[in-house]
């Protein structure tokens, strides 16, 4: 059961794994370096670890190399207490020194082992008391699950800044960092609050505060079903998720368009409040940040409102000038990214309203923000995001249009034509997916590429950022995205015979400019793969390979142009024999800074 759950969570990290169970009053622990399948083999599918209660962990290394010793669970020397942890114990160096001075011996390089020894120090027969004492001493963001050998029917848990959910099942209860891990057993979920301590037993759950006062939380029914988290006949999750995009876009879009108007019920702001917003900040990480880059162009163009798009990891440390009339839009698939979560906190402290565009229902960012607009992408398993990215774009289009509408810039024929174009997107994405074989053939030509340069201007630059990230993260080919006009200020020095350039040109007003950039790199021997609008003969002819887009409003072109770039990355990665869904060194949900 634990192995299966971990398999669902492997996207959070997969460089080592381990399990601890209580069997006959003793802890049995097995750990292994490498992916989960190593642990699976070692425990013969879990059969070597029988028990009634247990914990498991799949790791993305922060402190100490990924190997068996550093894998979780960590335990005290007597092997009577075992703990798994997500996050970082920030004061672990000081705690470790203190524990060593008291005679404790450490075997790993991890911050987590400190928790195991600290528990040992404070455990005098009352687990709750020991956990509370430990929590008073550790700093940082974490989620912990703990076993005490002499409490064979209880798993203790607590969270601070990292996710931890409880599943209420028919024949047992569960604790996990994500609902996909337990979906097979139950959809009934409890979200414990920060610093609340959970005592999980097979037949009940008790949750108490640090003052040992009992708290209760509602049980939420999760709508996702387990089949959504399976491969469904595809070779990889990534391909399945790429192919799901027409549906995801439709699901994110249709409930929010009613009788020719955009209705965003989740946005608990009146039209008047919306029109008072002075500035918008878009804050996110990774691909979600790239949707924010696109969002900026669209918001400014449509709603004539100044937008700053920032990386969450930069935003939180730059002391941003926030005003009460600013709206902060955070974008996150997982809803758990630590830097993005910190951005929410900073914005709220400054008195700003925070709107979160999030995929995972009930995630921490969703719960900490003022308003949540859920993307309807369903569970996304592949580490490289595709369908969640596409759904985020849709949410941003709708939001920008709503702002434009209430500010008086979008009505009548223009609004109608944009809504028509939006509604056509699912079908048009389907059409773009029809280029699958063609893109695969093109990909085959570039399997041995050393560097790839993505160029575009405006929204096309935002698309290039995402196309380039997709390629490098799953194929390990060095790749960069450049605003095409910047090329001549340095990057063009790298162009040589055979360099591969992916040129994105979806904005009619910029075709001529991009054509000049294509010609410039071609003159230096580059091979051009272009993505452009249908009928754009000049760019097509200047390119060695070209995929074209059906007609849409140029502001929505990202949704179509990204499809061949996702497929290019996918087929190059698969062709190179890479682990497409679990690229090295990466994790899908990054709950550490
Ligand atoms: C990780 C993932 C990316 C994702 C980023 C932000 O790096 O590998 O695909 O874009 O985190 O994650 P979020 O869940 O906040 O969208």
């Amino acid at each position: 059961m634990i192995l299966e759950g971990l398999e669902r969570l492997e996207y959070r990290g997969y460089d080592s794994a381990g399990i601890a169970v209580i069997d006959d009053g003793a802890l049995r622990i097995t750990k292994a370096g490498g992916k989960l399948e190593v642990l699976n083999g070692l425990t013969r599918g879990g059969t070597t670890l029988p028990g009634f209660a247990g914990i498991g962990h799949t790791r993305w290394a922060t402190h100490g190399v990924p190997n068996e010793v550093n894998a979780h669970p960590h335990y005290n020397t007597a092997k009577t207490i075992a703990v798994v942890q997500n996050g970082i114990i920030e004061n672990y160096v000081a705690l470790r020194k203190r524990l060593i001075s008291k005679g404790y011996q450490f075997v790993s390089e991890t911050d987590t082992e400190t928790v195991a020894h600290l528990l040992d120090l404070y455990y005098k027969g009352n687990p709750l008391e020991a956990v509370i004492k430990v929590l008073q001493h550790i700093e940082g963001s974490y989620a912990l699950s703990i076993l005490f050998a002499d409490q064979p029917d209880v798993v203790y848990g607590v969270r601070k800044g990292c996710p931890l959910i409880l599943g209420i099942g028919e024949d047992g209860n569960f604790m996990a960092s994500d609902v996909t891990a337990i979906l097979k057993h139950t959809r009934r979920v409890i979200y414990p609050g920060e610093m609340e301590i959970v005592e999980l037993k097979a037949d009940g759950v008790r949750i108490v505060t640090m003052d040992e006062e009992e708290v209760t939380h509602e049980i939420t029914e999760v709508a996702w079903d387990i089949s959504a988290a399976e491969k469904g006949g595809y070779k990889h999750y990534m391909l399945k998720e790429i192919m799901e995009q027409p549906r995801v876009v439709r699901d994110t879009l249709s409930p929010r368009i009613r009788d020719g108007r955009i209705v965003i019920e989740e946005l608990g702001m009146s039209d008047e409040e919306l029109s008072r917003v002075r500035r918008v900040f878009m804050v996110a990480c990774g691909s979600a940040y790239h949707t924010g880059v696109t969002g900026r162009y669209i918001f400014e163009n449509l709603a004539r409102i100044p937008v700053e798009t920032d990386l969450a990891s930069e935003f939180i440390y730059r002391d941003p000038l926030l005003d009460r009339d600013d709206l902060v839009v955070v974008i996150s698939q997982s809803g758990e990214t630590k830097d993005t979560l910190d951005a929410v906190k900073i914005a709220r402290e400054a008195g700003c309203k925070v709107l979160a565009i999030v995929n995972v229902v009930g995630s921490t960012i969703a719960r900490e923000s003022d308003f949540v607009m859920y993307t309807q992408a369903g569970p996304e398993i592949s580490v490289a995001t595709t369908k969640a990215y596409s759904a985020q774009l849709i949410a941003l289009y709708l939001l920008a249009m709503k702002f434009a509408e209430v500010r008086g810039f979008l009505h009548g024929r223009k609004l109608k034509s944009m809504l028509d174009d939006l509604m056509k997107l699912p079908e048009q994405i389907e059409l773009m997916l029809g280029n699958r074989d063609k893109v695969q053939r093109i990909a085959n030509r570039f399997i041995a590429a050393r560097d790839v340069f993505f160029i575009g201007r405006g929204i096309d630059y935002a698309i290039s950022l995402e196309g380039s990230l997709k390629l490098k993260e799953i194929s390990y080919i060095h790749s960069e995205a450049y605003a095409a006009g910047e090329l001549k200020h340095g990057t063009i020095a790298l162009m040589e015979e055979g360099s591969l350039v992916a040129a994105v040109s979806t904005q009619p007003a910029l075709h001529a400019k991009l054509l000049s950039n294509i010609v410039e790199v071609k003159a230096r021997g580059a091979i051009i793969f272009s993505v452009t609008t249908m009928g754009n003969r000049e760019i097509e002819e200047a390119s060695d390979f070209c995929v074209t887009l059906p007609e849409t409003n140029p502001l929505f072109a990202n949704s179509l142009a990204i499809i061949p770039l996702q497929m290019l990355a996918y087929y190059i990665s698969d062709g190179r024999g890479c682990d497409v869904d679990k690229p090295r060194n990466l994790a899908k949900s990054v709950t550490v800074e």
Side-chain angles (χ1 to χ4, degrees):
M1 210 181 255
I2 296 175
L3 275 172
E4 265 176 15
L6 290 178
E7 205 177 302
R8 305 269 170 217
L9 290 179
E10 252 199 312
Y11 68 82
R12 300 178 69 94
Y14 32 78
D15 54 37
S16 52
I19 290 181
V21 293
I22 306 176
D23 182 28
D24 236 349
L27 277 178
R28 292 183 184 221
I29 301 175
T30 306
K31 314 202 271 185
K35 296 209 168 115
L36 195 62
E37 58 203 47
V38 184
L39 183 70
N40 199 346
L42 215 59
T43 59
R44 281 189 247 123
T47 52
T48 62
L49 288 172
F52 181 68
I55 54 178
H57 188 262
T58 169
R59 178 168 184 249
W60 183 81
T62 57
H63 296 68
V65 294
N67 61 16
E68 185 194 331
V69 175
N70 288 330
H72 303 204
H74 290 282
Y75 45 87
N76 60 340
T77 311
K79 236 186 186 182
T80 51
I81 303 171
V83 51
V84 293
Q85 191 229 162
N86 287 339
I88 295 178
I89 307 297
E90 285 170 359
N91 59 337
Y92 84 103
V93 176
L95 290 172
R96 193 176 163 115
K97 273 196 195 140
R98 204 182 120 209
L99 286 161
I100 290 173
S101 74
K102 286 183 183 294
Y104 282 94
Q105 282 177 357
F106 281 75
V107 292
S108 80
E109 304 156 82
T110 64
D111 52 335
T112 309
E113 194 183 350
T114 339
V115 180
H117 294 308
L118 260 190
L119 281 165
D120 181 276
L121 179 67
Y122 293 122
Y123 187 46
K124 309 276 183 266
N126 180 343
L128 194 60
E129 202 179 280
V131 173
I132 292 175
K133 282 236 172 75
V134 168
L135 295 181
Q136 286 163 347
H137 285 86
I138 58 176
E139 290 165 16
S141 305
Y142 47 79
L144 299 167
S145 292
I146 305 161
L147 289 181
F148 294 87
D150 58 2
Q151 310 284 329
D153 58 346
V154 199
V155 180
Y156 286 86
V158 65
R159 62 173 282 264
K160 181 183 161 217
C162 284
L164 187 78
I165 57 134
L166 309 177
I168 307 303
E170 298 276 312
D171 321 305
N173 294 321
F174 304 83
M175 181 183 292
S177 47
D178 182 341
V179 39
T180 47
I182 58 165
L183 267 184
K184 188 171 171 195
H185 307 285
T186 181
R187 287 196 199 168
R188 304 175 69 224
V189 170
I190 292 176
Y191 299 102
E194 296 234 321
M195 301 296 275
E196 292 177 355
I197 302 126
V198 178
E199 275 181 354
L200 188 85
K201 294 189 178 179
D203 55 1
V205 179
R206 188 166 161 254
I207 305 176
V208 298
T209 63
M210 291 284 282
D211 304 321
E212 290 194 46
E213 288 196 11
E214 213 161 314
V215 280
T216 47
H217 291 286
E218 272 173 40
I219 297 182
T220 312
E221 189 92 17
V222 177
W224 290 359
D225 77 58
I226 189 71
S227 67
E230 306 203 310
K231 272 190 208 151
Y234 286 99
K235 183 170 178 194
H236 297 103
Y237 282 110
M238 183 177 179
L239 186 57
K240 175 188 174 233
E241 288 162 4
I242 288 175
M243 301 306 283
E244 278 173 353
Q245 289 179 107
R247 180 187 58 72
V248 161
V249 164
R250 195 173 292 119
D251 290 351
T252 306
L253 200 56
S254 2
R256 296 180 173 119
I257 300 183
R258 277 185 228 150
D259 305 324
R261 292 210 56 190
I262 293 168
V263 185
I264 310 179
E265 271 167 1
E266 311 92 310
L267 196 61
M269 291 166 94
S270 65
D271 286 2
E272 204 204 317
E273 282 171 306
L274 283 184
S275 57
R276 270 209 307 270
V277 170
R278 252 179 10 116
R279 264 184 326 172
V280 174
F281 285 84
M282 294 193 185
V283 186
C285 301
S287 297
Y289 165 74
H290 296 158
T291 66
V293 178
T294 302
R296 175 179 169 209
Y297 290 109
I298 298 176
F299 259 76
E300 293 196 338
N301 179 300
L302 276 181
R304 308 309 295 161
I305 184 165
V307 177
E308 279 189 42
T309 298
D310 212 347
L311 293 161
S313 54
E314 290 293 311
F315 179 85
I316 56 178
Y317 294 117
R318 79 171 159 100
D319 198 5
L321 292 173
L322 294 170
D323 194 277
R324 284 181 162 275
D325 293 332
D326 296 333
L327 176 70
V328 176
V329 178
V330 296
I331 312 159
S332 175
Q333 187 285 125
S334 62
E336 302 295 349
T337 305
K338 173 76 170 58
D339 290 325
T340 312
L341 179 61
D342 287 350
V344 173
K345 291 181 182 155
I346 286 176
R348 295 201 63 189
E349 274 159 23
C352 296
K353 289 271 184 267
V354 177
L355 165 67
I357 297 178
V358 169
N359 193 42
V360 177
V361 177
S363 54
T364 314
I365 291 175
R367 281 179 288 131
E368 302 268 316
S369 302
D370 294 287
F371 315 114
V372 193
M373 207 173 153
Y374 283 113
T375 46
Q376 304 294 334
E380 193 179 61
I381 309 291
S382 177
V383 166
T385 176
T386 51
K387 61 175 181 171
Y389 167 90
S390 283
Q392 286 162 358
L393 284 175
I394 298 298
L396 286 167
Y397 300 163
L398 289 168
L399 208 58
M401 288 171 69
K402 183 76 201 164
F403 265 83
E405 208 189 334
V406 299
R407 295 163 83 89
F409 294 112
L410 186 62
H411 39 75
R413 288 234 305 273
K414 186 173 171 194
L415 173 63
K416 178 162 187 320
S417 128
M418 289 194 82
L419 286 176
D420 288 348
D421 281 341
L422 266 185
M423 296 303 282
K424 275 190 225 149
L425 282 177
E427 263 169 58
Q428 292 179 323
I429 293 174
E430 197 90 59
L431 267 178
M432 296 304 293
L433 291 170
N435 289 305
R436 209 170 131 182
D437 294 344
K438 179 177 178 182
V439 176
Q440 185 170 13
R441 280 196 299 277
I442 299 171
N444 287 339
R445 293 280 309 269
F446 297 112
I447 277 172
R450 216 185 42 180
D451 308 282
V452 181
F453 302 91
F454 286 74
I455 58 170
R457 291 169 183 254
I459 288 179
D460 294 334
Y461 171 53
I463 303 170
S464 301
L465 285 169
E466 178 61 6
S468 167
L469 177 64
K470 275 302 76 106
L471 181 68
K472 82 176 105 184
E473 67 182 341
I474 59 172
S475 74
Y476 319 138
I477 295 175
H478 167 250
S479 155
E480 299 296 336
Y482 287 94
E486 245 334 82
L487 266 182
K488 54 189 167 298
H489 298 294
T491 311
I492 202 161
L494 298 172
M495 293 298 151
E496 55 189 20
E497 205 58 47
S499 299
L500 178 61
V501 174
V504 185
S505 188
T506 67
Q507 306 296 304
L510 297 169
H511 282 332
K513 303 283 173 211
L514 209 83
L515 182 63
S516 309
N517 298 128
I518 290 178
V519 174
E520 282 159 15
V521 291
K522 219 174 146 67
R524 283 146 183 104
I527 300 172
I528 315 293
F529 167 59
S530 66
V531 177
T532 190
T533 46
M534 207 172 270
N536 186 0
R537 287 255 159 263
E538 283 174 316
I539 289 194
E540 248 183 89
E541 277 159 20
S543 309
D544 300 270
F545 309 94
C546 182
V547 172
T548 58
L549 265 52
E551 203 179 316
T552 184
N553 186 306
L555 295 178
F556 305 147
N558 193 344
S559 291
L560 304 179
I562 198 60
I563 307 291
L565 300 184
Q566 292 169 341
M567 293 194 292
L568 185 76
Y570 172 78
Y571 285 116
I572 291 183
S573 169
D574 190 33
R576 285 164 70 95
C578 301
D579 190 342
V580 176
D581 287 331
K582 292 180 206 141
R584 70 183 179 208
N585 303 342
L586 296 179
K588 186 159 188 69
S589 181
V590 181
T591 49
V592 292
E593 266 193 55

